[in-house]
Amino acid sequence: MADNSHHISGVAERYASSLFELAAEAKSIDAVAKDLNQFQAMIDSSTDLQRLVTSPVFSAEDQSRSIVALIGKAGISGLVGNFLKVVARNRRLFALPAIIKSYHETVARERGEVTADVKTAHALSAAQEKELKAALSGVTGKTVALDVTVDASLLGGLIVKIGSRQVDTSLRTKLSTLKHALKEVG
């Protein structure tokens, strides 16, 4: 099976960029992001909608009719409503999750923000999140948003990834490193 991730990425970036330009002209960047998030939540919560978005079996007409009905029911109109109709008509629904992600990345980049993917063994308190944001902002020189996931298998500590840089201070990794070091000694 061929790797389509580069193709999807290119499609997503072009569509997201166009949507961002239209949203900026209309001064509705945040409203568009909110509507996109609402539609992504609909995709995430419905296996039928996931099938409609990803399956090539459905015709462009079927996809368009379904999208029109869904956005009408969800109250998504205006720029995002029209955008979703165009995406369906052009048979690009398969790229919609990547388009939504790319749109958010474009918004963040334009605002000088970066997102740090943080895995932690235990949920962070508000004070810990604030302190981590401040530390990461100091390192990056940008406003940092946190995308925190809890992974109990880390045992303690955290793993922070910003772009291509990653810092792993998890107890699991430290124990694994110690285990390998002890094997080499013994």
Side-chain angles (χ1 to χ4, degrees):
M1 187 168 172
D3 179 20
N4 288 331
S5 61
H6 180 68
H7 174 67
I8 292 173
S9 173
V11 168
E13 289 170 9
R14 287 191 302 276
Y15 274 80
S17 176
S18 296
L19 181 59
F20 178 79
E21 289 174 18
L22 292 170
E25 284 176 20
K27 297 186 182 345
S28 60
I29 292 171
D30 291 333
V32 167
K34 183 179 176 224
D35 285 347
L36 289 174
N37 287 342
Q38 180 184 355
F39 197 77
Q40 182 63 55
M42 291 168 62
I43 292 171
D44 293 343
S45 66
S46 169
T47 55
D48 289 336
L49 183 52
Q50 290 169 15
R51 196 173 316 111
L52 176 76
V53 166
T54 59
S55 176
V57 172
F58 298 101
S59 70
E61 295 80 29
D62 290 341
Q63 288 180 328
S64 292
R65 273 196 309 276
S66 298
I67 291 299
V68 167
L70 286 167
I71 62 178
K73 191 172 186 176
I76 298 173
S77 61
L79 192 56
V80 174
N82 290 335
F83 178 77
L84 292 171
K85 291 174 193 175
V86 168
V87 171
R89 197 173 328 117
N90 292 345
R91 308 255 321 138
R92 297 292 187 255
L93 284 179
F94 67 90
L96 198 52
I99 291 170
I100 294 170
K101 182 177 184 231
S102 185
Y103 179 84
H104 289 301
E105 289 170 352
T106 302
V107 170
R109 187 172 49 252
E110 289 294 320
R111 292 180 175 167
E113 300 172 346
V114 294
T115 299
D117 294 317
V118 179
K119 286 185 184 178
T120 180
H122 308 284
L124 298 176
S125 68
Q128 289 171 322
E129 281 194 23
K130 184 178 177 184
E131 187 177 336
L132 182 57
K133 278 184 184 182
L136 294 173
S137 291
V139 170
T140 63
K142 297 183 178 190
T143 303
V144 176
L146 299 180
D147 183 10
V148 180
T149 54
V150 176
D151 181 357
S153 72
L154 296 179
L155 302 176
L158 41 94
I159 300 172
V160 179
K161 184 175 182 190
I162 300 177
S164 62
R165 295 187 299 180
Q166 178 173 304
V167 177
D168 186 344
T169 64
S170 67
L171 187 54
R172 178 181 66 191
T173 299
K174 289 180 181 181
L175 288 171
S176 178
T177 303
L178 180 62
K179 180 179 169 185
H180 289 294
L182 290 173
K183 281 184 179 179
E184 289 176 9
V185 171

